[in-house]
Amino acid sequence: VQLQASGGGLVQAGGSLRLSCAASGRIYSSYVMGWFRQAPGKEREFVAAMRWSSPSTIYADSVKGRFTISRNNAQNTVYLQLNSVEPEDTAVYYCAASTQFTMESREYFNWGQGTLVTVSS
């Protein structure tokens, strides 16, 4: 499966943005879809993940209560709703797939091109 993230842009602190991750190819029911981000000069970090075939989700503590991951199985798309964004959320956001329900980036594959989110203060 190939993944392509989109929806990034410039947003003011406190604002909202919705990112999309479109998948071309088959997403198996056992897959977990994850969002990660990488800020300038920092390592890539986990943001959120969701099982493709159940509502189970996991979030990084830094985004819990502000970001929401969701999916549309019919459209093969995973979303990340960003609310109450902060300048610290500025990063390139990536989506990827895994067969493990995990926050470990090494367990994910088929990384798509990222989308840049810039939060102004």
Side-chain angles (χ1 to χ4, degrees):
V1 60
Q2 291 186 322
L3 304 172
Q4 179 64 55
S6 63
L10 177 64
V11 59
Q12 287 190 332
S16 298
L17 205 62
R18 190 176 79 159
L19 308 182
S20 299
C21 175
S24 59
R26 182 175 180 179
I27 300 180
Y28 293 92
S29 59
S30 59
Y31 275 11
V32 173
M33 305 302 292
W35 283 97
F36 290 77
R37 66 185 182 185
Q38 187 166 19
K42 295 187 176 181
E43 294 187 353
R44 185 167 55 194
E45 66 173 355
F46 172 81
V47 176
M50 184 174 199
R51 292 187 184 276
W52 189 249
S53 59
S54 87
S56 299
T57 57
I58 46 175
Y59 293 93
D61 288 342
S62 59
V63 307
K64 204 172 293 183
R66 300 188 299 121
F67 292 7
T68 303
I69 188 171
S70 63
R71 70 181 189 279
N72 184 320
N73 294 55
Q75 296 186 355
N76 264 18
T77 302
V78 180
Y79 302 99
L80 185 68
Q81 178 69 40
L82 286 62
N83 294 332
S84 302
V85 294
E86 303 166 352
E88 294 73 23
D89 295 320
T90 294
V92 177
Y93 285 72
Y94 300 89
C95 57
S98 177
T99 58
Q100 305 295 321
F101 193 50
T102 179
M103 298 186 288
E104 296 291 339
S105 62
R106 63 175 179 269
E107 299 293 345
Y108 285 80
F109 50 86
N110 287 9
W111 294 86
Q113 286 189 330
T115 185
L116 175 63
V117 173
T118 303
V119 182
S120 62
S121 57

